[in-house]
Amino acid sequence: MVNPMEKPLFELDKDEFKQEIVHHLRTTLGTSEKKASKQAWWMATCATINQMLFERLTSTQQTHLQKDTRAVHYFSAEFLMGRLTANNLHNLGLYKTCEEALKDLNLELADLCEQEPDMALGNGGLGRLAACFIDSLATLGYPALGYGLHYEHGLFRQEIRDGRQVERPDSWREYGNPWEICRPESVQEIPLYGYVETVFGEDCQVRKVWHPGRIIKGVPWDIPIVGFGAQTVNILRLWESRASNFFDWDVFNHGGYVDSQKEKAEAETISKVLYPNDETEAGKELRLVQQYFFCACSLKDIMRRYKRTHTDFKEFAAQIAVQLNDTHPTIAIPELMRELIDEEGLEWTEAWNICKQVFSYTNHTLLPEALETWPVYLFERVLPRHLEIIYEINAYFLKNEVDAKWPANNEIKRKLSIIDESNPRRVRMANLCVITSHKVNGVAEIHSKLVKEDLFPEFNQLWPDKFCNVTNGVTPRRWLLSCNQELADLFTETVGTEWPLNLDALRELAKYADDPVFQKKFMDIKLHNKEKLVKVIKAETGIDVSADAIFDIQIKRLHEYKRQQLNLLHILVLYRRLLLNPEYDIHPRVFIFGSKAAPGYRVAKDIIYAINKVGERINDDPRIKGKLKVVFMPNYRVSLAEKLIPAADVSEQISTAGYEASGTGNMKLAMNGAITIGTLDGANIEIAEEVGEDNCVIFGLTVEEVKELKARGYSPWDYYYANAEIKSALDWLDTDYFTPGRPGELQSIKKSLLDYGDTYLTLADFASYDEAHQRINSLYRDKARWAKMAIINAASVGKFNSDRSIQDYVRQIWHLDKCDIS
Ligand code: 8GP
């Protein structure tokens, strides 16, 4: 069916599209229809798409320059873009045209899309949020640039060998990437290391001069970001590091080829790999250098662009907004100070006033281990001038703000200082962010409240207006229109074409929630998506599952606070119940996991191993007659999420209350009609408000109860001894039942839940979780009830459109105007 929403924006019809693809196959790819591989066909299709993208890109950039628009610059160490082919086609309104053109050539568009490697330049939620946000910014027509790092290797590829995670390098651009454009004309030079000299100038002014020990070249790669409707095409600009002189020619001439390459290799290391840590600080010099490198390149780029239309810095803060996506780009603050003072000759207070207006900061986590700090000695060596500037900002802040509010209170000074005076002394990046930024936001109501009250209470007393909330969102273009086309077509048929831009339009669907005909259509699509996933599961893991079972999905990074171990414990208990009583009455259930663990996070990797080993035993056990299956999908990534989410019946959002800042998978799953089983944490709370508590299954301790229990003194042993099923399930892990001949291999799970104190209260929430699953079971058996719940979920998630998040940022923080592109 042709999607009525797709008014062709460009005058290309199917036949012309076809001709263009063939033309590119021959002239751009240098091959022929007879010889072309799928990869070549895919590249030729991308080249055709780019013809239109580039045209809009140029007109957007020209209009922004002409109108001298204020723009937001989204600084992020991660952009988890995934694949772009289908997304770009949908946003250009050309998906169906392209599909038909390829059909004429005996090719399947969906099949060609599989040729595209994921652009996995991020770890998880934070990186994917950045990708959704730049889609929304372009869709809404706001002038915006994304700035980040052009990692040669993105997040590692995960293989599962004998149940264990093995990390393999990711090479997303091994054979070239059709979406990126190199811009040698905008190369930047970035200083590092060296020393600072204080000089007395001819004008009788004392100045600081940084004599860097090294200069690195920053080469920009632009990824065009096309908004839905293709009016605006913004840019994601990613910096690649190179040696400033290709190699040392003299050393080379004297036969030292390897030595001459050393500097080159060192320089290129900076943008070589993404740090695979999710929510933990990586105390590595290279990471600090990465952060500085991309921030310095981006600020120089911003200043270069600004200077095209301005001769001084009076308008800078009116033109430029910089959003710091977590603390990773914090170094941009002293870097802008340095540029303005040392390079542009501004007074300290002038520069400081500009910085305070330009920067704002988003916090994504309360976990203390995730709050970045850097040893002072490292700063001294890598960025000596920046350390001086940080000291000056700190002194100014402690004197003018802290002392003024809390006179002679050293304890508060110690707490709020940018410098942590313990040994070794460290720079607290979050404090620098809060002190400078004019706005600090959390990413869900509850999280923003905890940011204010628990994380930064004194800062909140100093500047109550600084703190605000912007609840996260996801783009419905990728997470519904593109990944679940059948459901998208049903929605368009039912409520019209407006919903990808105004997701609230889906509220209309609620009218049909009780209509058996609509319910059948909705659930048939779910079944069809499940059938497609059954094939993927078989191909990826060899496991047979039935599409008639409940597909219960937990997809997210592996972390103890996200509690995959709670899910596993419940699986063990169900399995045991079935062994004890083969008639135990449950609807067949497939538990599906997708998750990567940080390579150095032992317990997380042990949990992956345990899921796989328990799964192997359960999946092969004829006694339970296929009522339970456990699937661990290897290499979880954006493109896999696009297959899993449309097929989910149940969405597992089971973090310990107070620990998940927001979550965004919870939104994607609800949008596709999955029922949430979740704690009152992060955005789950707001999802429950929107869909109604009758249409999701809430369990477990609340934030307050978690705090109370911890304050009282929590002992997991109490639950272990009080609940025979918990005890049996955990003791089972001491045996070799799941690892024949190798007893005790799964013991670390039990240890973390008992001996090490069960930090995330898994055992405390178990009974409530189990009861919630029983509710899921009986709800699912009432087909009409379940269908109604699923429809209401999809109908009620308008709030979680990332367009709404962007509008919130614009209103509260960025104050931008939309710009029409001629
Ligand atoms: C995540 C939060 O854990 C998640 O709740 C939230 O929805 C998401 O950010 C977007 O706001 N945090 C991270 O992904 C994170 O801290 N990643 C670290 C690698 C930097």
Side-chain angles (χ1 to χ4, degrees), residues 662-677:
S662 161
T664 45
N666 45 5
M667 302 168 184
K668 297 165 197 166
L669 283 152
M671 196 176 277
N672 284 272
I675 308 305
T676 305
I677 178 167

Side-chain angles (χ1 to χ4, degrees), residues 12-22 41 45 48 89 94-109 112:
L12 223 54
D13 64 19
K14 177 191 79 167
D15 291 325
E16 287 160 332
F17 208 111
K18 192 170 99 186
Q19 278 165 22
E20 289 298 324
I21 294 174
V22 172
W41 280 112
T45 307
T48 308
L89 280 168
L94 286 167
Y95 189 89
K96 298 279 151 116
T97 313
C98 179
E99 193 174 41
E100 284 163 18
L102 287 167
K103 207 160 256 153
D104 275 6
L105 293 160
N106 286 322
L107 293 158
E108 283 288 333
L109 173 56
L112 292 193

Side-chain angles (χ1 to χ4, degrees), residues 78 123-127 129 275-280 287 325-326 328 362-365 370 443 472 557 561-562 659-667 682:
E78 306 190 3
N123 274 288
L126 168 154
L129 186 78
Y275 271 83
N277 290 314
D278 194 59
E279 318 234 5
T280 47
R287 178 145 169 146
N325 195 26
D326 215 278
H328 317 138
T362 306
N363 174 283
H364 292 270
T365 180
V443 289
N472 282 344
R557 282 299 288 260
Y561 86 76
K562 295 179 190 275
Y659 286 87
E660 189 68 88
S662 161
T664 45
N666 45 5
M667 302 168 184

